Amino acid sequence: MKATFAILGCGKVGVTLAWHLVNIGLAPAGFASRRSASAHAAAETAGGGRVCREAGEATKDADIVFITTPDDVIQSVAEGLAGRKGVKRGAVVLHCSGVLPSTILADLRRCGAHIGSLHPLQSFAAPTFPANPFQGIVMAGEGDDAALALGREIASGFQAVFLPIETAHKTLYHAAAVVASNYLVTLMAAATRMLEGCGIASEDTLKVLLPLVRGTLNNIENRGVAAALTGPIARGDLDTVEAHCRKIGEALPDMLPFYQLLGQYTLPLAKAGGGVDTATLRALEEVLTKT
Ligand SMILES: NC(=O)c1ccc[n+]([C@@H]2O[C@H](COP(=O)([O-])OP(=O)(O)OC[C@H]3O[C@@H](n4cnc5c(N)ncnc54)[C@H](OP(=O)(O)O)[C@@H]3O)[C@@H](O)[C@H]2O)c1
């Protein structure tokens, strides 16, 4: 018999999981969400499964339960389920938070369930199917043995790479993901503002920036992070960096500390590259720390 799954919290990740779990051969058992419209949409995406008002009704027969609510309510949803004995003995309950430990689900062990977390290291801006957003990504898992085994199996079915992670390391792991993904968006927003400041229409800024960003990502992939650094700091072009700081200070003064701080974190990469002498590095540091 096919393993069955239930989803609590039918948003971007919940709906994406529902489609791809069905795609790898699991059967939808039930869906519940804050709004019943979201649960209905998830069931429609999965091609079946009960739509329930009560979380415990959606999960009571499922072999696998995903709690894909916002992080802040995962624990209370799990406690509510445990209170109503909403999961069956031997079921595996997983949440998808990158930062929270699986132990926030601990109450469910009272029902005989196994608990874990399985975090897809991907940015889901919308439910994503039939394209496979899991292909080649890391899915980091921790928790009970049965949860780890299941996480490994699901990751493999999704063509993702399962990464066992120490619970204590999750916060730093997640912070790294925020820097690489969310702050990349912040960087693009900053660069966009600067381009708009020199008269480029806002609808054109991405056309200008994206080929540059893609080229940089290619260099990082092919040459490694440190060797991918180009530009005035890597060359030791002090006059250019000074000119940038002067102009940003005049045109967009709130962005000067942003430019300077990132520059400060770029200096060690330039130093490691070996192309800039010590005196120039010191002078660059002065410009990049000047208030
Ligand atoms: N988005 C990402 O890029 C990403 C990546 C990796 C991991 N994650 C993790 O995946 C989980 C879900 O994130 P998401 O981005 O999918 O969030 P989301 O799109 O906001 O979806 C969360 C869903 O949970 C429902 N919900 C809210 N409170 C609820 C409650 N008390 N009971 C039941 N359902 C409730 C919401 O309500 P409605 O019923 O009103 O729609 C919403 O559809 C989080 O743990 C997050 O950390 C997200």
Side-chain angles (χ1 to χ4, degrees):
M1 218 168 64
K2 279 184 181 180
T4 58
F5 71 90
I7 305 276
L8 299 182
C10 300
K12 297 181 279 293
V13 170
V15 173
T16 303
L17 277 174
W19 194 91
H20 291 279
L21 289 170
V22 170
N23 191 46
I24 62 169
L26 276 71
F31 297 90
S33 202
R34 188 176 43 188
R35 293 172 303 139
S36 68
S38 302
H40 275 286
E44 200 174 306
T45 300
R50 280 193 307 273
V51 173
C52 307
R53 226 169 234 296
E54 273 296 319
E57 277 302 303
T59 56
K60 63 182 182 188
D61 304 322
D63 302 310
I64 306 162
V65 175
F66 275 96
I67 302 181
T68 46
T69 60
D71 285 5
D72 289 354
V73 295
I74 294 171
Q75 183 162 0
S76 61
V77 167
E79 287 168 357
L81 265 189
R84 288 166 178 265
K85 301 214 177 338
V87 294
K88 68 180 189 184
R89 183 158 288 281
V92 177
V93 185
L94 298 167
H95 72 67
C96 291
S97 165
V99 69
L100 296 172
S102 56
T103 46
I104 60 170
L105 308 176
D107 277 17
L108 288 160
R109 287 203 183 111
R110 287 204 315 261
C111 310
H114 308 286
I115 59 169
S117 70
L118 184 63
H119 175 250
L121 191 55
Q122 179 59 286
S123 171
F124 299 90
T128 308
F129 55 87
N132 181 3
F134 302 99
Q135 186 160 20
I137 71 163
V138 151
M139 294 184 84
E142 50 87 46
D144 297 345
D145 288 348
L148 283 174
L150 178 69
R152 200 179 285 280
E153 216 177 297
I154 291 174
S156 157
F158 285 179
Q159 297 168 55
V161 177
F162 182 74
L163 175 76
I165 188 161
E166 295 286 333
T167 309
H169 289 162
K170 280 195 79 172
T171 307
L172 203 51
Y173 152 85
H174 191 251
V178 166
V179 170
S181 173
N182 306 158
Y183 290 180
L184 176 59
V185 176
T186 312
L187 285 176
M188 294 302 287
T192 297
R193 260 188 81 194
M194 290 178 180
L195 285 186
E196 286 169 1
C198 54
I200 294 179
S202 57
E203 62 271 24
D204 292 334
T205 52
L206 279 186
K207 273 184 244 157
V208 174
L209 291 170
L210 278 181
L212 172 66
V213 173
R214 290 197 184 103
T216 308
L217 285 177
N218 276 339
N219 290 341
I220 290 171
E221 187 166 8
N222 296 328
R223 302 166 58 85
V225 173
L229 186 68
T230 60
I233 295 181
R235 286 191 298 269
D237 281 343
L238 183 60
D239 289 350
T240 303
V241 176
E242 271 179 329
H244 288 171
C245 289
R246 227 180 1 260
K247 188 67 202 177
I248 294 170
E250 286 163 20
L252 298 160
D254 64 301
M255 296 200 70
L256 182 56
F258 178 85
Y259 178 91
Q260 286 179 305
L261 189 63
L262 289 170
Q264 288 167 35
Y265 279 89
T266 308
L267 287 173
L269 295 173
K271 188 176 176 190
V276 187
D277 62 65
T278 312
T280 308
L281 281 170
R282 214 170 293 129
L284 280 166
E285 189 175 5
E286 235 170 74
V287 173
L288 290 168
T289 48
K290 196 166 147 193
T291 50

